[in-house]
Amino acid sequence: MGTSWLANAHHENFWPHHSWPEFAALSDDARARTSVVLPVHGFADHGLGLPLDAEEVVGSEILKRAAMGCDSLLVLPPLRFALAPYQRSTFFGVDADTAYDHMREIVKSVKSAGFAKIIFFNTSPWNEELAATVALDTHVEWGMETRVVNVSKLGMSFHPGAPIPARANAQAAAMHLLGLSAAGVRANLERAGRGDVRDADFRPGNFQQPELLAPDESLDGETILAAVAAHFSQALGARASRPPKPPKQAGGTPALPGKGWHSRDYLPHFDQPGLVQSITFRLHDSVPAKVVEQWRIELDCGDDGTVVPSDDPRSVELRKRIAEYEDAGHGACHLRDASIAELVENALLHFDGERYALLEWCVMPNHVHVLIATREGHTVSDIVHSWKSFVAKKANAILGDQGAFWMPDYHDRYVRDEGHLAGIREYIRNNPVKAGLAKTAQEWKFGSAGHPGSAGVPPAQTSGRDARAPRNYLPAFTPAEIDSLPDKHNALVIIPAGAIEQHGPHLPVGVDAILGQALLAGTLPKLSAEAARRVFVAPPVTFGKSNEHDGFPGTITISARTLRRVLYEVAAELCSMGFGRIAILNTHGGNSPVIVYTLREIQSTLGMRAGMLKAPLSLELSDHEARNGIHAGEWETALMLACAPELVRMDKAVRECPARPLDSVAWMTRDVSQSGVMGDATAATAEKGRAWMDAASKALAAQISRLL
């Protein structure tokens, strides 16, 4: 997904990735069916030896997995600024009125877009009552159907007063996603302050500093995540990814639209887009055809031309025999050659996120295991064919051979539920260990368990904290690590500020927030090593003041008062941590006036050196575009083509300019533009975007360096 990191979420149901016409095109019935999820995550030390953003790491992964089986679901970026009542153990919080207003204003924008159902998915023990209050009030006042799902009701909890098993589950899940060892967590606990819990039995209790909990090494984080996600999926009303049982025709042949159940050579297949599928394909000499044929006859496994579904006991036994035979290392095992194994891995990764979501994979010496979530328009048979044909041609060139490389058929099995999913993940990741090829799954180089760019969680990425998040991200630290940072007063903390608002028919509503992350991703590596050690990034302010775009569905707007309070509270938190300099990287013009007067207040009351960063426009823009291209025009479209091209629809791009000058005039977009575009989006190219992004990030790096 390029550098479009806003949260760890599925692309298809993530609100910021859709354009306003896509929201407008939804029928009343579709809007009525759709539930909108607002995740609520806090930043806290829960006494578990984890970084401050552990709630978001775990919660976003649970939500993403649970959403896999859900129809009619849209997920908003998380609300990261809510209640943080304890000065020593909770961070980046706001006062109760601001938190309440912030949530209500987001819900109001959802209602304005025509949706009537909202779910607050809350991981924070300190925000359960806040979410319940907002849910009730919005239901009473606006008639919306509101629900609260707290992670504490799903089998795990971050509350320091919760039962130990629930706390231990949250700890194990976070350790798994972040790749933290038990020794590392214990070291974090040793650096943490002693517990300070008062009146634990007198509600609400007083948890100034949570009691510490050592990790339970017997717990498996992946299994816990799968169970909690399955529980949440049921709460969302999801359907499991089990296809319908095929109706029978005469002679026992299934009849389904499309391919459905069918057979090629000796294996049954169920090929319908939208399923999670476990796939195995093999080298041509890994399991001789005559051996398989004999097993088919022995097991009465479809040797008369009938199709035996993959969960039939006969198919299960056939699959078991084949797996044991191939794990024994029969045949030439060409996939032992690192160059060929790399070919396979690159083929699997190439269309990840486009034709399928790659969840797990393992390249064994004579066969390959893959777990994917298929996308509409792409069948398993076509996907596997593309992998095999690409690799066969390249591998035969390496080997100097022209013969058969792969066995003609492949095995696929659809995933029935979260328990089944967890078992398949475990099998694929540990296949090299079971075959005696590695001591641990992570030692095996050509698999998701040991791959440096993936931990095998959908969609393929490094962990619950997305790898595209900016480096030196403060919530990724523990409180003790923040306390020990040297010379914080002279360091610089960047606060990204964006918006979720319409950007014409060709761009998603998340443009401003996405471009802020893209600019950070391009700027931070351009700093000198010395400067980079003194620059940190605060949690992003994703929602902005965007009421000028009211009337374009998909826009989420908060008030000037709420924006000012959030920015001020973030600055105050940083000041209390010992930082003396902040710079707000703003990528939404509607935020600018509020930011300017808030920065003056921060300077005067907190005594911080505070200002605003802004990427300069390219000098290559025409005079006309420089004057009129103020929204979703050539500049923003080109940058999006450079950093997140999969979210841009150039076939929908338009040129529309305001009919009158907008200087010194209060205006709303609907008064001056029908499309939402103010500029010439049709002139944008990815080449321009890459050049402009590079120039802008260099300019920002120079600005930052001057501030240090």
Side-chain angles (χ1 to χ4, degrees):
M1 189 51 66
T3 52
S4 60
W5 180 87
L6 295 181
N8 181 18
H10 279 294
H11 164 60
E12 286 93 345
N13 60 24
F14 195 38
W15 182 294
H17 288 177
H18 299 277
S19 66
W20 79 260
E22 290 177 302
F23 287 99
L26 291 173
S27 66
D28 291 342
D29 181 61
R31 287 191 180 91
R33 291 196 315 268
T34 299
S35 294
V36 178
V37 180
L38 176 62
V40 182
H41 306 308
F43 299 109
D45 172 12
H46 299 293
L48 303 176
L50 302 171
L52 296 180
D53 65 344
E55 285 185 30
E56 182 173 348
V57 169
V58 174
S60 59
E61 180 65 22
I62 291 169
L63 175 56
K64 187 175 63 176
R65 294 189 187 196
M68 286 177 63
C70 294
D71 294 319
S72 302
L73 194 74
L74 282 171
V75 178
L76 292 161
L79 178 65
R80 299 182 174 99
F81 305 103
L83 301 182
Y86 301 113
Q87 187 175 6
R88 290 162 50 200
S89 62
T90 57
F91 303 86
F92 296 110
V94 297
D95 66 272
D97 287 341
T98 300
Y100 177 86
D101 290 344
H102 202 174
M103 293 180 72
R104 279 176 57 91
E105 288 164 6
I106 293 170
V107 174
K108 186 176 182 180
S109 292
V110 171
K111 181 178 183 294
S112 296
F115 299 99
K117 297 180 181 178
I118 191 157
I119 299 171
F120 299 103
F121 174 51
N122 174 54
T123 57
S124 169
W126 318 126
N127 286 282
E128 292 189 1
E129 294 79 13
L130 173 67
T133 302
V134 175
L136 176 60
D137 289 358
T138 52
H139 171 67
V140 171
E141 295 176 35
W142 299 335
M144 298 188 73
E145 181 180 324
T146 55
R147 296 171 56 199
V148 179
V149 178
N150 293 306
V151 76
S152 61
K153 303 300 183 183
L154 300 177
M156 66 167 60
S157 180
F158 288 96
H159 196 297
I164 288 178
R167 294 184 72 201
N169 283 344
Q171 184 184 52
M175 290 171 60
H176 170 68
L177 290 172
L178 293 169
L180 298 176
S181 66
V185 170
R186 290 193 188 95
N188 289 338
L189 292 171
E190 289 175 2
R191 300 174 65 188
R194 291 184 178 181
D196 181 4
V197 178
R198 312 164 195 173
D199 290 331
D201 298 324
F202 183 38
R203 188 178 181 188
N206 191 336
F207 299 90
Q208 295 294 329
Q209 187 72 39
E211 295 288 355
L212 307 183
L213 180 67
D216 183 346
E217 295 185 63
S218 69
L219 297 177
D220 179 70
E222 175 59 35
T223 301
I224 292 167
L225 284 166
V228 174
H231 194 176
F232 188 23
S233 182
Q234 293 174 356
L236 291 173
R239 51 177 174 77
S241 57
R242 177 194 294 271
K245 291 183 179 180
K248 297 287 185 178
Q249 289 181 335
T253 303
L256 277 178
K259 290 189 176 181
W261 283 111
H262 66 287
S263 179
R264 294 178 56 213
D265 294 333
Y266 64 87
L267 289 174
H269 302 284
F270 191 92
D271 199 347
Q272 280 190 331
L275 300 178
V276 178
Q277 295 268 22
S278 174
I279 303 164
T280 302
F281 54 102
R282 305 170 173 86
L283 295 181
H284 75 99
D285 59 355
S286 60
V287 186
K290 62 181 181 181
V291 174
V292 177
E293 181 64 23
Q294 182 59 42
W295 288 338
R296 289 176 63 218
I297 294 171
E298 292 175 11
L299 296 170
D300 189 24
C301 194
D303 59 298
D304 61 352
T306 60
V307 179
V308 180
S310 62
D311 54 359
D312 185 285
R314 294 169 293 173
S315 287
V316 173
E317 177 60 24
L318 177 62
R319 188 165 61 252
K320 177 182 177 182
R321 293 187 184 186
I322 292 172
E324 290 176 349
Y325 192 94
E326 65 192 5
D327 282 349
H330 292 284
C333 293
H334 290 310
L335 302 182
R336 289 186 189 275
D337 185 323
S339 61
I340 297 177
E342 188 174 357
L343 279 176
V344 177
E345 193 167 59
N346 288 340
L348 301 178
L349 291 165
H350 184 72
F351 287 112
D352 176 30
E354 180 179 340
R355 299 180 181 179
Y356 48 82
L358 181 60
L359 312 185
E360 299 279 4
W361 75 92
C362 183
V363 182
M364 296 289 284
N366 60 5
H367 64 284
V368 181
H369 293 298
V370 189
L371 181 66
I372 62 172
T374 56
R375 301 283 174 87
E376 291 296 330
H378 301 284
T379 64
V380 171
S381 58
D382 290 342
I383 290 168
V384 175
H385 174 74
S386 70
W387 291 337
K388 291 169 69 175
S389 61
F390 171 81
V391 173
K393 182 178 180 179
K394 299 286 187 180
N396 278 333
I398 293 173
L399 298 169
D401 194 356
Q402 295 182 341
F405 187 77
W406 299 108
M407 187 175 289
D409 207 356
Y410 61 92
H411 170 74
D412 62 288
R413 191 180 187 197
Y414 64 83
V415 177
R416 300 185 300 275
D417 50 43
E418 288 289 345
H420 189 201
L421 178 66
I424 291 174
R425 285 180 180 277
E426 179 74 12
Y427 179 85
I428 292 176
R429 294 169 74 84
N430 287 289
N431 196 192
V433 178
K434 180 182 177 183
L437 300 172
K439 292 182 180 179
T440 67
Q442 288 72 27
E443 287 181 9
W444 191 248
K445 182 178 180 182
F446 296 105
S448 47
H451 193 266
S454 175
V457 292
Q461 58 189 31
T462 57
S463 71
R465 181 188 296 117
D466 196 309
R468 295 175 295 269
R471 64 180 183 174
N472 289 5
Y473 183 52
L474 282 174
F477 291 72
T478 65
E481 288 171 335
I482 293 175
D483 286 343
S484 64
L485 291 173
D487 196 21
K488 285 183 287 185
H489 185 75
N490 292 315
L492 178 71
V493 181
I494 299 172
I495 306 172
I500 305 297
E501 62 181 30
Q502 74 82 21
H503 272 77
H506 64 299
L507 294 176
V509 296
V511 165
D512 288 337
I514 290 169
L515 289 183
Q517 297 299 325
L519 285 164
L520 274 177
T523 299
L524 296 178
K526 291 181 172 64
L527 296 172
S528 68
E530 175 60 28
R533 285 192 289 268
R534 299 168 58 196
V535 175
F536 300 90
V537 180
V541 179
T542 305
F543 302 103
K545 181 180 178 294
S546 300
N547 54 340
E548 69 269 29
H549 298 291
D550 280 351
F552 290 86
T555 297
I556 305 289
T557 184
I558 62 175
S559 67
R561 180 175 63 178
T562 297
L563 177 60
R564 172 256 164 200
R565 287 174 173 175
V566 169
L567 291 172
Y568 187 88
E569 292 297 334
V570 172
E573 181 71 56
L574 295 170
C575 185
S576 70
M577 290 179 175
F579 292 101
R581 305 177 184 182
I582 62 169
I584 298 178
L585 175 60
N586 179 45
T587 47
H588 167 49
N591 290 338
S592 296
V594 180
I595 291 174
V596 170
Y597 64 67
T598 304
L599 285 170
R600 292 193 184 111
E601 183 182 10
I602 290 167
Q603 293 165 352
S604 299
T605 61
L606 299 177
M608 303 182 80
R609 186 182 182 191
M612 186 160 54
L613 297 172
K614 186 172 177 61
L617 288 173
S618 172
L619 297 177
E620 297 178 12
L621 286 171
S622 67
D623 291 341
H624 181 273
E625 188 66 9
R627 289 193 308 272
N628 298 286
I630 61 175
H631 190 76
E634 183 181 8
W635 168 255
E636 287 185 310
T637 304
L639 294 184
M640 286 294 291
L641 284 170
C643 72
E646 65 281 358
L647 300 181
V648 182
R649 289 287 305 274
M650 284 305 292
D651 59 317
K652 304 285 187 182
V654 299
R655 182 183 188 273
E656 185 175 359
C657 299
R660 56 188 173 86
L662 301 178
D663 295 341
S664 303
V665 176
W667 51 268
M668 293 188 67
T669 304
R670 63 187 177 192
D671 296 330
V672 297
S673 173
Q674 293 184 339
S675 66
V677 173
M678 285 170 274
D680 185 4
T682 65
T685 66
E687 183 179 11
K688 291 178 182 177
R690 287 188 291 269
W692 295 348
M693 180 67 76
D694 182 62
S697 59
K698 286 178 180 176
L700 282 172
Q703 291 178 43
I704 292 169
S705 297
R706 289 193 295 271
L707 294 172
L708 295 173

